[in-house]
Amino acid sequence: MAWGVALWSLATLLTPWAANHSTLALLAIRAFFGLAEGVALPSMSTLSSRWFPTHERASAVAVSMAGFHLGNVVGLILTPIMMSSLGVSSPFTFFSSLGLVWLTTWVYGVTTNPQDSPFISKSELRLIQDGKSESSVKKNKFPPLRHLLSKLPTWAIIFANITNNWGYFVLLSWMPVYFKTVFNVNLKQAAWFSAVPWGTMAISGYIAGAASDRLIKAGYSLTLVRKIMQSIGFIGPGIALLCLNYANSAVTAAVYITAALSLSSFSQAGFLLNIQDIAPQCAGFLHGIANSAGTFAAIVSTIGTGYFVQWLGSFQAFLTLTAALYFITAVFWNLYATGERVF
């Protein structure tokens, strides 16, 4: 994680220089940024599976992901302001500096395993260890890739990641264009419309995590809880996107988009945590596999949305297609996902 943050902060800092130098240099720096940033979520899976008991893990991940969502809010709001007042390169310098400041705290304050931390008490360590299921504590041989991909619960996670990233990046990348095209809202206003949903995701994600942990403490099975949360995380956004087709104003559209993104954050207590349930010893590796597939889906959706809209004839048709993808994956998830350890 530390190396990843250091390298992607450096890539962020060098982006204005690369843009001024050549298109090839810019593409190389952004590719380097993506490679470095790719360690973040798998590292989070590994750390949360080791540092938190099962009945607190959803809340812990929700807090972590809240920072992820709020980063979008800060970026969407501050970047235009900084560019207009301090220059084009100022946001890159500012955000890369934040990464390096964070890095100093992380390096000296975080360990991979709680038993190696000088800041943890014996009682807290005992709480973490006692809160893990017997199957998650048991150590097995690291499974080969072929074995991981031979199980349907793995594919339930992979397909869920693909669908989640498809919808997420469509909304993240194309909503300013959507508001401009459909409602003729200028880009400055669209930035505010687009920023609001990410803030609500931080709140709804925490609600999902807290509800998930409460259900587990109440005795409900991990399988049932993960299926409930993921069903909300896919069926909810699907319905919201269908409703978006009938929005007759920018404000109404913003409400539906906010609902879609807010409900999608329930996936944090679904497939994102399920990675740690079925493969506690190799959660980071499995997350990397699933996230690679999800990243490919994000690339296709981000680049291809314009072509899909042109081919289908409207944004509304593309939103309907995305809603259908949510529904189909929800069915697959409920058929094949499990909260039991598989690997």
Side-chain angles (χ1 to χ4, degrees):
M1 177 70 89
W3 278 107
V5 174
L7 293 175
W8 87 55
S9 296
L10 177 62
T12 301
L13 183 64
L14 293 176
T15 297
W17 169 85
N20 290 328
H21 188 269
S22 68
T23 301
L24 183 60
L26 178 60
L27 292 174
I29 286 294
R30 298 311 291 169
F32 180 70
F33 174 90
L35 289 172
E37 195 179 33
V39 306
L41 292 179
S43 295
M44 185 187 73
S45 282
T46 298
L47 287 170
S48 58
S49 67
R50 296 179 181 182
W51 269 89
F52 296 96
T54 303
H55 62 275
E56 294 181 356
R57 199 171 292 158
S59 296
V61 170
V63 171
S64 298
M65 292 301 294
F68 183 82
H69 302 313
L70 291 175
N72 287 319
V73 175
V74 173
L76 284 166
I77 293 175
L78 285 188
T79 298
I81 297 173
M82 295 179 70
M83 282 185 167
S84 61
S85 59
L86 300 175
V88 174
S89 63
S90 59
F92 298 95
T93 303
F94 175 70
F95 290 121
S96 62
S97 299
L98 286 182
L100 296 176
V101 170
W102 174 90
L103 185 62
T104 58
T105 303
W106 179 270
V107 169
Y108 292 105
V110 177
T111 59
T112 302
N113 295 297
Q115 57 265 33
D116 298 328
S117 174
F119 304 107
I120 192 171
S121 65
K122 291 183 179 179
S123 60
E124 188 177 4
L125 179 60
R126 192 179 306 112
L127 176 66
I128 294 171
Q129 293 172 336
D130 292 345
K132 295 181 180 180
S133 64
E134 184 177 344
S135 63
S136 66
V137 174
K138 180 181 177 182
K139 292 187 177 181
N140 289 343
K141 184 178 178 181
F142 197 89
L145 178 60
R146 178 181 296 181
H147 184 52
L148 279 171
L149 297 179
S150 68
K151 304 296 182 181
L152 284 171
T154 298
W155 287 103
I157 289 172
I158 291 173
F159 288 146
N161 205 322
I162 289 172
T163 299
N164 182 73
N165 280 20
W166 177 282
Y168 182 91
F169 282 95
V170 163
L171 295 175
L172 176 66
S173 303
W174 282 89
M175 280 307 100
V177 179
Y178 169 80
F179 280 117
K180 179 65 177 177
T181 303
V182 178
F183 299 108
N184 198 30
V185 175
N186 67 50
L187 292 178
K188 185 175 180 180
Q189 290 175 311
W192 284 91
F193 274 121
S194 301
V196 171
W198 309 112
T200 63
M201 282 189 78
I203 298 172
S204 60
Y206 182 77
I207 292 172
S212 178
D213 285 342
R214 186 176 292 273
L215 288 172
I216 292 170
K217 289 178 183 178
Y220 292 93
S221 71
L222 277 176
T223 298
L224 178 60
V225 173
R226 300 296 184 241
K227 287 185 176 182
I228 290 173
M229 294 300 158
Q230 192 58 64
S231 295
I232 296 172
F234 279 166
I235 296 174
I239 293 173
L241 290 183
L242 291 179
C243 292
L244 184 59
N245 289 332
Y246 301 97
N248 53 15
S249 70
V251 173
T252 303
V255 170
Y256 286 135
I257 291 170
T258 300
L261 285 168
S262 297
L263 291 170
S264 74
S265 65
F266 276 72
S267 294
Q268 296 169 191
F271 83 86
L272 195 60
L273 278 169
N274 191 233
I275 294 170
Q276 301 165 36
D277 298 329
I278 72 168
Q281 295 300 124
C282 57
F285 181 55
L286 179 55
H287 198 147
I289 295 170
N291 206 46
S292 294
T295 300
F296 179 75
I299 293 171
V300 172
S301 66
T302 301
I303 296 175
T305 295
Y307 296 102
F308 281 118
V309 170
Q310 186 176 14
W311 177 51
L312 295 171
S314 66
F315 263 110
Q316 286 78 3
F318 180 69
L319 293 174
T320 300
L321 177 65
T322 301
L325 181 61
Y326 273 125
F327 296 145
I328 292 170
T329 310
V331 172
F332 190 88
W333 174 266
N334 280 285
L335 288 175
Y336 299 115
T338 179
E340 302 301 318
R341 179 170 180 170
V342 179
F343 307 104

